[in-house]
Amino acid sequence: GPTRKMPLTASAMDFFQLFVPDNVLKNMVVQTNMYAKKYQERFGSDDAWMDVTLTEMKAFLGYMISTSIHHCESVLSIWSSGFYSNKSIALIMTQSRFEKILKYFHVVAFRSSQTTHGLYKIQPFLDSLQNGFDSAFRPSQAQVLHEPLIDEDPVFIATCTERELRKRKKRKFSLWVRQCSSTGFICQIYVHLKEGSGADGLDALKNKPQLHSMVAKNLCQNASGKNYIIFTGPSITSLNLFEEFEKQEIYCCGLLSTRKSDCTGLPPSMLNNPETPQSRGQYRIRMKGNMSLICWYNKGHFRFLTNAYSPVQQGVIIKRKSGEIPCPLAVEAFAAHLSYICKYDDKYSKYFISHKPNKTWQQVFWFAISIAINNAYILYKMSEAYHVTRYSRAQFGERLVKELLGLEDTSPSH
């Protein structure tokens, strides 16, 4: 849970600033002004530009965050006369001023001579965010490695043509997280860039297990020695990775797929389906040291690799129609944590900022801000302040937007 006690009067902004404090916002102000100055030296002066202030930067973020609640296709819809217009916040800043800030907005204006990383324009912000996640929250023992659901706005997808869909630029990165499975708090973010179509590119990432294990190692670099139990999907699950993690006192439970997983070192007899028909709930086990390979049958064969649970401990999967199906405890635990992550995706994925910039670093930035707001709401729900105001996720987002824009309204919005 949270590592610090927030006051009863803590606002949405107070929780958000646990991860994005004023010194980070002030740095954005400095970097944006530096970039604007350099840009104008190179391409000619811009008479309409004035240096951005901290108040304007907060308002700029507020406008962007408002798209995560109302899901307008363009942030500029706020100033339009259409369905997504929002007169109450449009008066804080003119559209032309907002577009100027958007044009010059930067987190890191210039590349340093030592930088070779493709995310240099955002890496300091990601590092600062990670420090905030680490210091504000202590995760539970059970955690999940996965790619969170970041869908395009379903309303837009349903109404646009195939040609418009093809015009949308594909993301040049994949975003992975390590997530506390009892609260949904995202403890760590890892961004893997598609840097060309070479061996380390995103295309290779989809079918090369060694790249998935590299992602897993990056996500768990702060987890060693803490006896965490990490749940993984088929693309990450492998005997070599789990044995390496065990040496660091990280224990694992993963779903295994003969098609997607690295099955090196696993007995072939367990990877082939038996010829004799099996009844639901039957399973076979093979062990090597602390590692168990479980083949469990439930309308199909499911294989699990684990060193976190004893294979002889019994559990049950409860189905609405067929009642209880017996299984090893590892299978029950995996199903429970997987269903929690599905619920998290259902609840929070619709609150990602819907602004779609072309630049990769900006896409990563807005995704990271969205995750920070979701984490802030999770901390708010676990605080005493929640029992005073009881905002929903949408109301929390609206409160944050109003506080960033400096609007004085303190009553909860409905």
Side-chain angles (χ1 to χ4, degrees):
T3 57
R4 66 188 80 176
K5 189 175 180 180
M6 298 292 279
L8 287 170
T9 53
S11 64
M13 185 74 163
D14 292 331
F15 286 96
F16 176 64
Q17 293 217 300
L18 291 173
F19 311 124
V20 188
D22 268 355
N23 64 321
V24 171
L25 297 174
K26 285 173 184 171
N27 181 60
M28 291 178 196
V29 170
V30 171
Q31 297 292 331
T32 299
N33 289 333
M34 280 169 57
Y35 181 80
K37 184 181 177 186
K38 195 75 176 176
Y39 185 94
Q40 290 172 48
E41 284 173 6
R42 188 173 176 188
F43 297 108
S45 63
D46 183 347
D47 295 334
W49 172 255
M50 294 183 298
D51 277 0
V52 69
T53 63
L54 179 61
T55 304
E56 285 181 315
M57 184 57 73
K58 286 182 177 178
F60 172 76
L61 287 180
Y63 283 126
M64 285 298 194
I65 292 166
S66 72
T67 68
S68 69
I69 306 153
H70 304 294
H71 299 292
C72 45
E73 179 51 24
S74 167
V75 65
L76 301 180
S77 305
I78 291 167
W79 292 273
S80 72
S81 55
F83 180 76
Y84 289 113
S85 66
N86 192 333
K87 296 288 183 287
S88 63
I89 65 173
L91 299 172
I92 302 297
M93 185 185 287
T94 64
Q95 181 179 339
S96 59
R97 178 59 177 165
F98 174 85
E99 288 186 79
K100 283 293 177 195
I101 298 172
L102 181 61
K103 177 180 178 180
Y104 295 122
F105 174 69
H106 267 71
V107 180
V108 174
F110 307 112
R111 183 197 292 259
S112 68
S113 55
Q114 301 88 20
T115 307
T116 55
H117 196 272
L119 285 173
Y120 75 92
K121 286 198 170 185
I122 193 182
Q123 196 59 53
F125 173 74
L126 293 178
D127 293 341
S128 163
L129 205 59
Q130 187 60 56
N131 289 336
F133 292 170
D134 290 341
S135 61
F137 184 81
R138 189 170 58 252
S140 65
Q141 185 184 28
Q143 293 164 39
V144 182
L145 306 186
H146 71 120
E147 287 184 274
L149 187 67
I150 308 172
D151 276 347
E152 298 278 7
D153 179 31
V155 176
F156 172 75
I157 293 298
T159 55
C160 74
T161 63
E162 277 188 39
R163 185 166 171 269
E164 285 174 316
L165 272 176
R166 281 198 300 272
K167 279 169 66 182
R168 311 278 283 182
K169 294 203 171 185
K170 288 188 178 177
R171 288 206 299 267
K172 295 182 178 177
F173 62 92
S174 65
L175 186 121
W176 295 74
V177 299
R178 175 164 57 86
Q179 188 169 15
C180 168
S181 59
S182 58
T183 60
F185 189 95
I186 287 177
C187 311
Q188 193 156 353
I189 301 172
Y190 177 71
V191 180
H192 184 87
L193 275 185
K194 179 182 179 181
E195 293 163 327
S197 55
D200 287 350
L202 186 57
D203 298 329
L205 184 68
K206 286 176 180 167
N207 41 36
K208 287 201 175 176
Q210 66 266 32
L211 281 171
H212 281 107
S213 68
M214 180 214 41
V215 168
K217 287 172 192 172
N218 275 291
L219 283 171
C220 294
Q221 59 190 2
N222 300 332
S224 60
K226 295 180 181 175
N227 285 317
Y228 288 154
I229 297 174
I230 304 290
F231 292 87
T232 63
S235 57
I236 292 177
T237 303
S238 81
L239 180 63
N240 291 336
L241 179 69
F242 283 14
E243 286 177 338
E244 198 172 321
F245 275 168
E246 190 174 351
K247 291 172 187 169
Q248 301 171 37
E249 295 177 41
I250 302 169
Y251 301 94
C252 304
C253 180
L255 182 63
L256 198 69
S257 158
T258 50
R259 195 165 50 88
K260 293 182 181 176
S261 306
D262 177 6
C263 296
T264 310
L266 298 174
S269 61
M270 290 291 285
L271 303 176
N272 300 323
N273 296 336
E275 293 175 8
T276 53
Q278 292 190 287
S279 56
R280 294 177 75 177
Q282 277 193 308
Y283 57 90
R284 298 177 293 146
I285 298 167
R286 288 284 294 276
M287 292 187 70
K288 176 190 174 187
N290 293 331
M291 201 72 65
S292 309
L293 176 56
I294 301 165
C295 182
W296 177 69
Y297 183 80
N298 177 25
K299 291 187 177 178
H301 292 277
F302 295 90
R303 293 171 179 83
F304 297 87
L305 190 65
T306 183
N307 57 2
Y309 296 92
S310 164
V312 295
Q313 282 187 288
Q314 291 296 306
V316 286
I317 300 283
I318 299 171
K319 297 283 185 184
R320 270 180 299 198
K321 290 183 180 176
S322 48
E324 293 185 353
I325 304 165
C327 65
L329 186 61
V331 178
E332 181 190 335
F334 186 90
H337 293 294
L338 196 69
S339 69
Y340 191 92
I341 294 307
C342 292
K343 285 177 191 168
Y344 175 89
D345 281 345
D346 290 345
K347 184 172 184 180
Y348 291 106
S349 64
K350 58 176 178 257
Y351 293 110
F352 276 75
I353 291 167
S354 58
H355 172 65
K356 298 290 185 295
N358 286 333
K359 290 187 170 65
T360 297
W361 74 264
Q362 289 183 4
Q363 292 173 20
V364 175
F365 177 80
W366 296 118
F367 284 144
I369 288 283
S370 303
I371 287 171
I373 298 168
N374 284 341
N375 275 355
Y377 180 69
I378 288 166
L379 290 187
Y380 160 71
K381 280 199 79 174
M382 288 190 280
S383 74
E384 292 177 359
Y386 177 70
H387 300 292
V388 177
T389 48
R390 288 192 172 272
Y391 293 133
S392 67
R393 172 63 183 83
Q395 289 172 330
F396 183 84
E398 286 177 3
R399 293 297 313 150
L400 178 59
V401 168
K402 286 180 177 178
E403 287 164 30
L404 282 165
L405 289 166
L407 292 168
E408 295 305 310
D409 175 21
T410 53
S411 62
S413 51
H414 296 286

